[in-house]
Amino acid sequence: MLRSLALGTALIWGSALSAQTIDDAVTTFQLGNGMDVVVIEDRRVPVVQHMVWYRAGSADEPVGESGVSHFLEHLLFKATENLEAGELSATVAANGGRDNAFTSWDYTAYFQRVAADRLGLMMQMEADRMVNIRLTERDIVTERNVIIEERNQRTENNPRALFSEQMNAAQFLNHRYGVPIIGWMHEMETLDMDDVMSFYRTHYAPNNAILIVAGDVDPEEVRRLANIHYGAIPANPDIAPRVRSTEPPQTAERRLIFRDARVAQPYVQRSYLAPERDPGAQEKAAALTILAEVLGSGTTSYLVDKLQFEAQVAVFAGAFYRGVSLDDTTFDFVVVPAPGVTLQEAEDAMDAALAQFLIDGVDADQLDRIKMQLRASEIYARDNAEGLASRYGSALTSGLTVKDVQAWPGVLQAVTAEDVVEAARAVLRREASVTGWLMQAEEAMQ
C-alpha cells in the first residue's frame, strides 16, 4: 500500500513537473548609452537584488597584469568623487541590506540585496563608482597587500588550489583561462595605479555593463530609475569587441604530478577541453551537462557504481562540467583512491570504467531520473531572486542571451541517450586532456 502510494505520488509530481512552465517574468531593454537592463519580477517578498555585471574578467586582462580585474574589484569599495571609502557598504548595511562583488574569468559583478524601496539609492551609488573612482597611492599599496594575503591564505596554503592552478595552466596552452583569476603572485606584486586605472577606463562603462534587477519590482519603475542614474553616464566609444587569444589544436595529452607534504588525501584529476554553451546552439553543452550527471553525480552515477561499489578502488568519484563560459571550457573527473590503492591503479580503473561506459551507454531509467531532477532544480531555483539574477548575469556576460537562458531547461529535456554517448566520444579524447596526480611529498619519494 505504501509503495503504491509513493509511486502514485511520484507520477503526479512528475506530471506536474512536466506540465509546469518555468519561464521567468523577464523584461529587457537598453538605455540610450548602450547599457543592457534585465528585470526579473518576483513579488512574493518586498526585497530586490540589484546587480551590475561588466563584460570584463581576468581573461580580458593584459598579459603581465594577471589579477588586475580582481584587484580593481577590491578598489571599487574605496572612495569615489561622492562617497568616502567604505561608505557604500556602510549605507547598504544601514538600510538593512548586504552587498559584495566577485570576479571570474569572463565577468566582474557588484551587487546589493535590499528592501525594494531602496533600489534608487543602490543605483545612485553603483552608477557613481562606475565612473567616479577616486584612488590614492596608499589605497593601491594597502589593497595590494590585501589581495596578496588573500592569495596566501586561499591558494599558497592550499595544495589542492595550487594543484588546480597547474591543471588549468597545462590545459590551456594559449588562452587566458590558464591564468588564475586572483593572478600569479609575481605579477600581483607589481600591479600599480596605472594598471588599475587603465583596466577601469577600458572596461567600466555603461555600454560594457548589464544591469540586472530581480525581486519585487515594476519594470517601468526600473526603467525610470535606470535612466536617471545610469542613463546620464555617457557611453565609452572606445569599447572594443572581446578578442582573446585562442587555443591551437591540442594534439598531445599532458600529465603532471604535484607533490606537497601538506596533502592529506592524494587523488587523480583528469580534464578534457570541452565546448561551452553557445548562443542558439546549446545542444552539445546540454549533452555534456547530462553526461556529468550520468558519470559522476551522486551515489547512483556510473563511476561511483563501478569504482566505489563494484571494484572498491575509490572512496570518491565525480564528474564536473561548467558550461557557462565565453570560450571553450573543461570536462573534469576526480577519483580519490581507497586505502591501499595507488594513484596509478585508481587512474587505470577510471579509464577502464570510461571505456566500458562507451560500450554500455546510458541507462534509460537513470536518464529519466536525471532529467526529472534537473527539471525540479530549475523550478526550485525560481524561489531565489539572487540565484536567478546570477543565472542571467553569468550567461549574458558569457555570450548567451535571455532567450538561451529560458530555452536551456527544454534543451536539457530533449537530450537523448545517444546524444550523451556521442558527446562523450567527442570530448573524452586523450590528446586534448591533462591528467594530474596530487600526492604527498613523502609518497612521491618512494
Side-chain angles (χ1 to χ4, degrees), residues 18-137:
S18 300
Q20 182 170 349
T21 176
I22 58 175
D23 289 342
D24 307 310
V26 176
T27 302
T28 64
F29 53 89
Q30 190 177 78
L31 304 184
N33 56 14
M35 187 175 193
D36 293 315
V37 183
V38 178
V39 183
I40 308 167
E41 295 180 69
D42 181 354
R43 301 302 187 91
R44 289 173 291 181
V45 180
V47 174
V48 66
Q49 181 83 7
H50 171 258
M51 309 188 80
V52 172
W53 296 71
Y54 292 95
R55 297 180 181 92
S58 66
D60 301 293
E61 297 166 344
V63 174
E65 297 177 18
S66 65
V68 70
S69 56
H70 174 251
F71 189 22
L72 177 60
E73 175 216 307
H74 276 241
L75 290 166
L76 260 288
F77 289 86
K78 300 295 184 181
T80 69
E81 295 299 330
N82 301 297
L83 296 169
E84 294 303 318
E87 186 176 350
L88 187 152
S89 293
T91 302
V92 174
N95 281 274
R98 63 182 184 85
D99 73 314
N100 213 326
F102 48 89
T103 304
S104 185
W105 281 288
D106 295 320
Y107 52 76
T108 309
Y110 302 81
F111 72 86
Q112 301 86 35
R113 183 168 177 81
V114 293
D117 61 357
R118 301 295 191 271
L119 178 59
L121 176 60
M122 299 303 108
M123 287 191 184
Q124 176 185 331
M125 295 190 296
E126 196 65 73
D128 180 41
R129 69 174 169 183
M130 179 182 287
V131 289
N132 292 325
I133 188 173
R134 176 165 54 91
L135 299 175
T136 66
E137 287 296 338

Side-chain angles (χ1 to χ4, degrees), residues 183-395:
W184 298 116
M185 180 68 85
H186 69 285
E187 293 183 348
M188 295 168 64
E189 292 171 340
T190 67
L191 293 174
D192 58 21
M193 179 76 80
D194 288 342
D195 298 330
V196 168
M197 293 308 297
S198 175
F199 196 84
Y200 180 66
R201 294 184 181 118
T202 299
H203 298 288
Y204 279 57
N207 51 322
N208 201 40
I210 302 168
L211 169 64
I212 298 186
V213 180
D216 186 15
V217 291
D218 175 72
E220 288 308 310
E221 177 64 6
V222 173
R223 186 194 298 268
R224 185 185 73 82
L225 291 172
N227 273 310
I228 292 172
H229 298 292
Y230 293 109
I233 303 172
N236 178 357
D238 296 325
I239 292 290
R242 299 172 86 174
V243 178
R244 294 169 168 178
S245 56
T246 57
E247 282 296 297
Q250 295 200 358
T251 58
E253 69 173 287
R254 280 135 282 155
R255 303 185 64 86
L256 64 90
I257 297 175
F258 191 90
R259 303 176 175 94
D260 195 306
R262 298 169 297 179
V263 172
Q265 176 62 71
Y267 60 83
V268 179
Q269 182 172 339
R270 166 93 46 78
S271 67
Y272 296 87
L273 197 65
E276 76 286 4
R277 283 169 60 182
D278 288 323
Q282 302 183 91
E283 290 78 11
K284 289 182 181 179
L288 289 171
T289 298
I290 291 184
L291 177 64
E293 296 289 326
V294 169
L295 288 178
S297 179
T299 57
T300 61
S301 65
Y302 191 87
L303 288 181
V304 169
D305 182 56
K306 294 295 184 184
L307 303 184
Q308 290 183 234
F309 297 139
E310 285 190 17
Q312 297 185 359
V313 296
V315 295
F316 173 83
F320 309 92
Y321 172 68
R322 184 180 66 89
V324 178
S325 175
L326 186 60
D327 301 310
D328 279 351
T329 183
T330 60
F331 193 100
D332 297 80
F333 296 99
V334 172
V335 176
V336 180
V341 176
T342 68
L343 293 174
Q344 185 64 64
E345 290 169 338
E347 181 183 339
D348 291 344
M350 177 183 72
D351 286 334
L354 292 176
Q356 188 62 44
F357 170 76
L358 295 178
I359 297 172
D360 294 343
V362 181
D363 179 79
D365 290 340
Q366 184 189 17
L367 180 59
D368 288 342
R369 184 169 60 251
I370 287 171
K371 286 184 177 182
M372 184 70 71
Q373 291 168 345
L374 291 172
R375 182 77 175 178
S377 67
E378 290 285 344
I379 293 171
Y380 296 146
R382 300 187 69 206
D383 291 332
N384 184 337
E386 181 176 348
L388 275 177
S390 293
R391 174 185 299 181
Y392 281 90
S394 61

